[in-house]
Amino acid sequence: MSDLRAAAAEAFLYTLPLIEIAAVRARGLAVGSPMNAFASMRNLADHRARAVTTPNNDTFYATAQLDLSEGPLTLTVPAGGERYVSLQLMDAWSNSFAVLGTRTTGPDGGTFTLVGPGDEAGVGPGVIRAPTRHVWALARILVTGPEDLEAARLVQAGFTVQGPAAPPVADYARRSDPWPAYFASADLLMSQNPPPASDVALLRRIAPLGLGTGRFDPAAFTAEEAEAIAAGLEDGRRAARSGGGLSGEGFIEGWAYPRAKLGDFGQDYSLRAAVALGGLAALPLVEATYLRAGHQGQGLFDGTRNWRLHIPADRPIPVDSFWSLSLYEATPEKQFFFTENPINRYAIGDRTPGLVWNADGSLDLWIGHAEPDAERVSNWLPAPAGPFALFMRAYLPQPQLLDGGYRLPPVEEI
């Protein structure tokens, strides 16, 4: 039975992205967002945003759940000009197979044809082949400040999809469901979105479960086998919660730096599962680098104490777009969401209105639950009166941030 238990644990980690993206799809349908169409989130995320873990407070989102089974779809990316814009295309396994926008296709936008894995559509500079039938398209549109909201919404409205309607969507299990429901849904999603050939070694290890055919049968297992599968599923859940997520496992000078495969995971199934749980839809590093702050080797801070991030004038954060420090409360399942606070500030960065730089050009950011002195409030990032996490986002990072030539200064207690 140990082999079956091990197979169930590995299968849970392997299929978790399928289940998590299906849950996002279901939430969209529940609020009236149809398949093969963009839905626009016309306000910046705040403490009420709980649909996707680790949201940002810097960009508007436009999101579309796509089904290519009926034929190709045409995607329009609007002109962004000097504004940061991106359209991340993720397969059903949460790998980013293309990012369109400022970095890759330029400031003028464009029209692109998205074709499914079995489609015979032609090739060309505007044709993108998706590895799976299901695709999640997630657009980010930078908002530079309160006065920029309407202009950003105009750009947001320019993301469109044209093409055939999608077939009806089935109802799938959630990650917390018992093993019969979970693996039945994973089996169906795998049959709709077959794994790549490069995953054959893992597929052999989980073969005793019979996943990927669309005909998974919980009744085919004995009571003893069912007990082993249930135990393995719990093993997988614990492993996902303990994974590194957006950042690596170790802290370097107070920060955990992201793993190279973030956003396009290859065969790093454990990382992919941890990100599906704690940072679903993370962009590839060349598009945005995510760093997590730590204190004494731990990834959570105490909001009842006072903290400072000092950025020296001669060591500014090297980005070609923008940077932002976001503060989150953590759930027991290691998911992260914004926390309610008296000034409705969920992140602070180089575009924050009223930010005050020191006379020598350096910058101090003040973090904690208690409101600081009047001269520091402009640079205050409020925290809950309890544990919280800090993530730095650096959009369009320069090479020295990617290769380790630049290190962020640590967040220090004051």
Side-chain angles (χ1 to χ4, degrees):
M1 294 304 109
S2 61
D3 289 347
L4 197 57
R5 178 170 179 169
E10 194 164 17
F12 175 83
L13 292 173
Y14 184 66
T15 59
L16 183 59
L18 290 171
I19 294 292
E20 290 300 292
I21 291 180
V24 174
R25 191 158 54 238
R27 286 193 290 268
L29 292 168
V31 297
S33 299
M35 295 286 293
N36 292 358
F38 274 103
S40 293
M41 302 173 191
R42 295 176 57 80
N43 295 295
L44 294 174
D46 59 17
H47 63 279
R48 296 166 295 185
R50 302 273 161 155
V52 177
T53 181
T54 328
N56 81 59
N57 184 248
D58 308 298
T59 70
F60 285 150
Y61 290 109
T63 181
Q65 293 288 339
L66 309 177
D67 188 332
L68 296 164
S69 59
E70 299 301 315
L73 298 171
T74 299
L75 304 177
T76 299
V77 177
E82 296 183 359
R83 180 191 307 276
Y84 173 81
V85 169
S86 66
L87 179 62
Q88 178 186 16
L89 299 178
M90 291 164 281
D91 66 21
W93 300 89
S94 77
N95 292 296
S96 296
F97 62 89
V99 180
L100 312 175
T102 301
R103 179 181 62 87
T104 57
T105 54
D108 299 327
T111 300
F112 304 87
T113 301
L114 184 64
V115 300
D119 202 293
E120 297 181 357
V123 296
V127 176
I128 303 168
R129 185 169 294 280
T132 57
R133 160 187 166 180
H134 289 131
V135 171
W136 182 9
L138 183 61
R140 296 168 172 89
I141 305 96
L142 177 62
V143 179
T144 60
E147 74 290 342
D148 186 45
L149 293 173
E150 289 308 316
R153 287 173 182 140
L154 287 175
V155 176
Q156 181 187 42
F159 285 93
T160 62
V161 182
Q162 288 88 33
V169 178
D171 188 25
Y172 299 100
R174 302 297 188 262
R175 66 174 177 272
S176 59
D177 285 344
W179 72 266
Y182 180 91
F183 282 129
S185 288
D187 172 55
L188 181 57
L189 288 164
M190 286 178 68
S191 69
Q192 294 171 345
N193 301 279
S198 55
D199 290 352
V200 165
L202 177 139
L203 294 172
R204 287 174 179 158
R205 293 195 296 272
I206 67 172
L209 294 169
L211 300 177
T213 64
R215 298 185 298 274
F216 177 75
D217 182 11
F221 300 96
T222 67
E224 188 179 5
E225 289 172 334
E227 184 177 346
I229 294 171
L233 189 69
E234 290 304 316
D235 293 342
R237 285 173 175 150
R238 282 191 295 271
R241 290 194 295 269
S242 63
L246 287 177
S247 302
E249 295 179 356
F251 291 91
I252 302 172
E253 299 176 17
W255 291 89
Y257 288 79
R259 302 183 192 179
K261 291 184 178 180
L262 188 68
D264 191 5
F265 303 96
Q267 279 68 57
D268 196 337
Y269 312 121
S270 294
L271 174 61
R272 190 175 69 182
V275 173
L277 186 63
L280 187 63
L283 286 161
L285 298 190
V286 292
E287 194 73 24
T289 293
Y290 308 85
L291 306 98
R292 182 175 178 180
H295 175 64
Q296 297 180 344
Q298 303 296 317
L300 293 177
F301 293 82
D302 182 357
T304 63
R305 297 151 75 180
N306 295 313
W307 308 89
R308 180 185 72 155
L309 175 60
H310 175 76
I311 302 172
D314 62 348
R315 298 279 292 168
I317 300 173
V319 293
D320 287 330
S321 188
F322 68 95
W323 61 264
S324 173
L325 182 68
S326 298
L327 188 150
Y328 302 96
E329 58 187 39
T331 72
E333 289 194 317
K334 300 293 182 67
Q335 293 194 303
F336 299 98
F337 300 105
F338 292 129
T339 187
E340 189 172 8
N341 66 83
I343 62 172
N344 297 322
R345 178 177 286 171
Y346 309 98
I348 193 166
D350 54 8
R351 300 154 296 106
T352 299
L355 197 68
V356 177
W357 301 75
N358 300 322
D360 64 356
S362 65
L363 180 67
D364 288 311
L365 303 179
W366 309 101
I367 305 153
H369 181 68
E371 182 174 329
D373 296 338
E375 65 272 15
R376 295 180 175 179
V377 170
S378 59
N379 292 16
W380 176 40
L381 184 56
F388 67 89
L390 290 169
F391 285 90
M392 175 68 73
R393 286 178 169 85
Y395 279 78
L396 305 189
Q398 294 175 4
Q400 60 266 41
L401 189 54
L402 294 173
D403 64 18
Y406 176 91
R407 296 299 187 190
L408 276 170
V411 176
E412 300 174 318
E413 188 175 2
I414 55 173

